Amino acid sequence: MDIRLVNLTKIFADKNSEVRAVDNLNIDIPSGKLIGLLGPSGCGKSTTLYMIAGLHEPSSGQIFFGDEDVTALPPERRGIGLVFQNYALYPHMTVRQNIMFPLQNMKLEKDVIAARTIKYARLVGIEELLDRKPKQLSGGQQQRVAIARALVKEPKVLLLDEPLSNLDARLRLQTREEIRRIQRETGITTIFVTHDQEEAMSISDEIVVMKFGLEQQTDAPQKVYDNPKNLFVAKFLGTPPINVFSGYVHDGGLFIGEDRIGDTNLSDQEVTIGIRPEGFEVSEEGIMNIHVKQIERIGRDMSVIAVNPFSEKDTFRFIIESDVELQENTDVKVLIKPRKCFVFHKVTEERLQ
Ligand code: ADP
Ligand code: MG
């Protein structure tokens, strides 16, 4: 089931204030894909999800499931499964009863209900826990029960709102792989809300990056990383984050301080330059002068903290292979890889090159 959001807007208003939580969102979500809805806290991710679910009424705009306009349909008639950050299981019921619960108003045969419950418990890997109560489960197990409960009605769409936030780091990793596997096995169109860029990048077919209720960019994660539309998107994706410098264009050259770090067709102006941490190469022919302050070795890679002598207040961090000869407290020259270097308008922060 593909989903289409058309000019979708939600304004929360009271006497004193007005919040445009979601501002004129236009997104096509292809059938069978996992879409990551990504952005900082408060950017409108949950509000978007709740409008798709039918829990919030849009201020304007439309929501289509396939060809059907579902904007006015109540949640129970939309064919969606929802999973929230806090598992929200019924504490007095067993795992089995929790998973079965959504089926009980559906007038299904008892053995059909039992079979489906087992099918989805097996799918999420909690078959042997069916007779336990939620409090006898770990956070990761509870979240799997919540996912099974969302899937048991065999919805057309699965909506997940920060489903891993309450898990510790190891479980978060494991559970996100599980979610990806379950999504692939069922082929269910899934929207996964998170503020964690690494999480969204690692499991999504496409990500939608949002800021202040506005869609910034939508594409495959690697494409957004390699081709950010603006400085916000460039800064939001990547660990370590992109390095940002004040620079300028002069006579076809791109400058940071006195160093001509690359070529450009842009007209003379002040710009903001972003360089990914993997965009630096130590070389005799280097054009950017840097001072190496500190080196951290992490496996095959070396993380280097450096300063540019022309903008001395800012340290920046780059990643190179650990066999490169480099000493702390020395000056070196580096080349900048053009494909890892982005130029942004000083004021609008839109990408220029
Ligand atoms: P996110 O999920 O990305 O953190 P939300 O969608 O929850 O963001 O919120 C987006 C904006 O809308 C925020 O500024 C938030 O304070 C506001 N907001 C969310 N829900 C309500 C509500 N029920 N009433 C008023 N404002 C709300
Ligand atoms: Mg939220």
Side-chain angles (χ1 to χ4, degrees):
M1 171 72 64
D2 62 306
I3 301 173
R4 208 150 44 89
L5 310 182
V6 181
N7 301 328
L8 195 65
T9 299
K10 179 69 181 178
I11 300 167
F12 291 109
D14 62 24
K15 277 188 235 99
N16 310 313
S17 65
E18 189 184 279
V19 181
R20 277 185 171 273
V22 176
D23 198 350
N24 207 33
L25 205 57
N26 287 286
I27 304 174
D28 286 344
I29 297 165
S31 186
K33 299 287 183 198
L34 193 160
I35 301 302
L37 203 53
L38 174 66
S41 177
C43 74
K45 304 180 295 294
S46 294
T47 306
T48 303
L49 206 71
Y50 299 163
M51 286 194 282
I52 297 170
L55 301 174
H56 278 331
E57 190 188 337
S59 305
S60 59
Q62 290 162 292
I63 301 162
F64 290 89
F65 285 4
D67 293 331
E68 188 187 7
D69 184 342
V70 300
T71 317
L73 278 190
E76 64 276 11
R77 290 187 44 208
R78 293 193 185 196
I80 46 149
L82 255 179
V83 178
F84 298 101
Q85 172 177 343
N86 51 352
Y87 332 112
L89 301 175
Y90 302 109
H92 58 285
M93 293 184 187
T94 63
V95 167
R96 186 191 312 275
Q97 289 165 333
N98 265 283
I99 297 175
M100 279 165 54
F101 187 77
L103 296 178
Q104 289 186 329
N105 297 325
M106 283 179 77
K107 298 201 176 71
L108 296 171
E109 300 282 341
K110 270 212 172 90
D111 51 344
V112 174
I113 292 182
R116 269 222 217 162
T117 302
I118 292 190
K119 174 181 169 189
Y120 285 97
R122 190 175 292 158
L123 179 73
V124 303
I126 48 152
E127 212 183 339
E128 63 292 357
L129 306 175
L130 279 168
D131 296 315
R132 293 209 195 160
K133 294 276 178 64
K135 68 169 187 297
Q136 299 170 294
L137 305 180
S138 72
Q141 290 167 334
Q142 290 186 48
Q143 198 55 304
R144 286 164 194 238
V145 177
I147 293 168
R149 189 177 60 181
L151 289 173
V152 76
K153 281 174 90 172
E154 306 195 331
K156 295 169 284 185
V157 176
L158 180 62
L159 304 175
L160 306 163
D161 192 0
E162 312 245 8
L164 309 179
S165 303
N166 283 350
L167 307 181
D168 66 43
R170 195 180 52 82
L171 263 179
R172 203 152 61 220
L173 211 66
Q174 192 188 335
T175 313
R176 90 179 184 209
E177 288 162 12
E178 282 289 288
I179 288 176
R180 184 52 167 161
R181 176 187 61 76
I182 293 162
Q183 192 274 331
R184 285 226 169 97
E185 275 180 34
T186 54
I188 185 170
T189 309
T190 301
I191 305 179
F192 184 104
V193 162
T194 177
H195 64 273
D196 180 332
Q197 56 92 20
E198 201 219 322
E199 197 168 282
M201 300 267 288
S202 61
I203 66 167
S204 307
D205 294 305
E206 280 190 16
I207 53 172
V208 177
V209 185
M210 290 180 71
K211 174 193 177 190
F212 299 147
L214 292 161
E215 185 247 351
Q216 305 289 303
Q217 190 166 0
T218 301
D219 213 329
Q222 192 64 41
K223 287 198 173 155
V224 180
Y225 183 82
D226 289 338
N227 260 310
K229 258 188 172 165
N230 58 41
L231 184 60
F232 173 81
V233 174
K235 282 161 81 172
F236 202 73
L237 301 187
T239 11
I242 196 164
N243 296 297
V244 179
F245 301 91
S246 290
Y248 57 93
V249 175
H250 180 67
D251 240 357
L254 188 59
F255 287 83
I256 295 174
E258 290 174 13
D259 296 334
R260 180 175 173 140
I261 63 152
D263 301 327
T264 179
N265 295 323
L266 297 169
S267 57
D268 288 10
Q269 61 189 296
E270 288 189 31
V271 291
T272 300
I273 298 172
I275 308 175
R276 292 277 181 215
E278 66 277 21
F280 299 81
E281 189 184 333
V282 176
S283 162
E284 278 304 309
E285 286 115 61
I287 31 181
M288 183 171 172
N289 293 292
I290 63 166
H291 179 75
V292 176
K293 284 194 128 172
Q294 202 177 320
I295 296 173
E296 296 166 1
R297 285 173 202 280
I298 337 162
R300 281 174 43 234
D301 287 336
M302 189 154 70
S303 177
V304 182
I305 300 168
V307 286
N308 175 262
F310 302 109
S311 51
E312 209 160 307
K313 58 189 185 326
D314 305 313
T315 60
F316 61 97
R317 187 186 279 267
F318 63 92
I319 307 286
I320 52 172
E321 282 176 16
S322 60
D323 53 7
V324 176
E325 288 282 332
L326 211 55
Q327 305 291 328
E328 290 185 347
N329 297 313
T330 55
D331 293 338
V332 289
K333 291 177 183 300
V334 290
L335 284 171
I336 306 300
K337 300 176 188 167
R339 288 186 49 206
K340 296 290 178 184
C341 176
F342 311 125
V343 183
F344 303 96
H345 191 279
K346 187 91 189 160
V347 181
T348 66
E349 302 191 341
E350 290 299 313
R351 171 102 174 271
L352 302 171
Q353 172 179 316

